[in-house]
Amino acid sequence: MLFSGQGSPLPGHRNGPGIHDYALVHTVASGRGLFRWRDAEHRLEAGDTFVIFPGELFFYEADGQEPWTYEWVAFRGYAVLPMLAAAGLDPSSPVLAGRGCGDASRLYGRLREALAGGSSAALSDLEAGGWLRLLLCELARLQPERARPQARSSDAARRQVDQAVRWLQTHYAEPVSIQDLARRLGYHRTHLSKLFRAFTGLSPMQYLGQLRMSRAKDLLATDLSVEQIASSCGYADPLYFSRHFRRSFGLSPTAYRQGLE
């Protein structure tokens, strides 16, 4: 969890074009606005939700006559894409055309309270993560049945992807290949790769890389050496690990650690 808030932009207020390294979910409470994503423009109003996915170019703008108000939450981590996919959101379908906000506003409020309160940052983050899951569940519940890509006929495919995600989350510190993953789960590698990308927007190996890098950032806040962290994240060669970390975050592991102090 990173942050959550609510806003009332001025008429014509713009955000972007830009790119975030985290997921950002907005739910429109009133008014109107424009969300531009990839090659499409979405005219949004009260009850609609839109998502900015990490690493993707976005643009959004409040209506000039009836500017929107909205609530938002930002979060990052290796579970981001599967969580959003479970709610019916992926990079090819980043908008929920709402039928009202349901209980979403209350859940946004509880989420903000969790982030702001408490004497323990770890407990606050844990509570906020719970409210986030309830919020995504509520947003998914509000969708028309036809808008849910995971419904009915694709339930089996969803379970297959969930199996793969759980396996990667458990075995990320081990040597992993797509052939090995497919063989262990009993699927053809091409079939598994296609399903995985459809539900998460990433290939299994791209997801594994993000998972390992997210874990590496956590471990850099500990006293473990860079070599120990590399090994704990599935990299036998510390130099290769350092190069991959720099490509992902623009800093070496050592420089990142120094920035935490």
Side-chain angles (χ1 to χ4, degrees):
M1 294 296 305
L2 296 176
F3 52 84
S4 181
Q6 52 190 161
S8 303
L10 295 173
H13 177 75
R14 298 180 173 186
N15 294 81
I19 293 175
H20 291 322
D21 64 351
Y22 50 83
L24 184 59
V25 178
H26 290 77
T27 297
V28 183
S30 65
R32 302 175 185 276
L34 168 71
F35 175 49
R36 186 177 299 136
W37 183 259
R38 293 185 174 175
D39 297 324
E41 288 190 351
H42 304 271
R43 302 285 175 174
L44 305 180
E45 56 188 24
D48 294 340
T49 293
F50 65 98
V51 181
I52 295 167
F53 285 82
E56 297 252 12
L57 191 67
F58 69 85
F59 172 87
Y60 55 104
E61 178 181 9
D63 185 77
Q65 302 299 319
E66 191 181 352
W68 53 14
T69 65
Y70 45 57
E71 299 182 270
W72 71 81
V73 57
F75 52 103
R76 65 157 61 100
Y78 56 80
V80 164
L81 293 177
M83 283 175 60
L84 289 170
L89 291 156
D90 61 58
S92 65
S93 182
V95 172
L96 302 181
R99 298 184 298 180
C101 293
D103 206 27
S105 184
R106 183 185 71 85
L107 295 170
Y108 273 110
R110 295 303 299 270
L111 198 159
R112 289 193 297 273
E113 290 174 6
L115 287 174
S119 57
S120 167
L123 290 179
S124 293
D125 189 65
L126 189 63
E127 181 184 355
W131 289 116
L132 172 63
R133 284 165 171 79
L134 290 173
L135 171 65
L136 294 178
C137 183
E138 176 70 3
L139 294 175
R141 186 185 66 79
L142 292 169
Q143 295 181 74
E145 287 292 327
R146 59 182 172 79
R148 298 179 187 174
Q150 283 75 39
R152 296 191 178 96
S153 63
S154 56
D155 281 350
R158 173 77 258 171
R159 286 194 295 271
Q160 291 176 352
V161 174
D162 285 344
Q163 274 187 296
V165 166
R166 287 194 296 270
W167 195 89
L168 290 171
Q169 290 175 349
T170 304
H171 296 84
Y172 68 89
E174 305 169 12
V176 176
S177 68
I178 181 60
Q179 293 89 344
D180 183 49
L181 175 62
R183 184 177 65 254
R184 289 177 180 271
L185 296 177
Y187 308 129
H188 189 278
R189 63 185 301 273
T190 302
H191 169 74
L192 179 61
S193 295
K194 183 178 179 180
L195 281 181
F196 201 98
R197 187 178 291 277
F199 279 92
T200 69
L202 298 172
S203 72
M205 293 301 100
Q206 287 172 327
Y207 176 78
L208 176 64
Q210 287 194 2
L211 176 63
R212 285 171 166 171
M213 289 296 101
S214 178
R215 180 59 176 155
K217 289 175 73 173
D218 291 340
L219 292 177
L220 283 166
T222 71
D223 294 329
L224 293 176
S225 69
V226 171
E227 290 78 10
Q228 290 169 329
I229 293 171
S231 178
S232 298
C233 294
Y235 296 93
D237 183 351
L239 292 179
Y240 178 76
F241 162 72
S242 295
R243 288 196 297 269
H244 191 81
F245 192 93
R246 184 185 291 275
R247 284 198 302 269
S248 298
F249 304 116
L251 294 170
S252 69
T254 300
Y256 178 83
R257 169 174 273 169
Q258 291 171 346
L260 297 176
E261 297 174 354

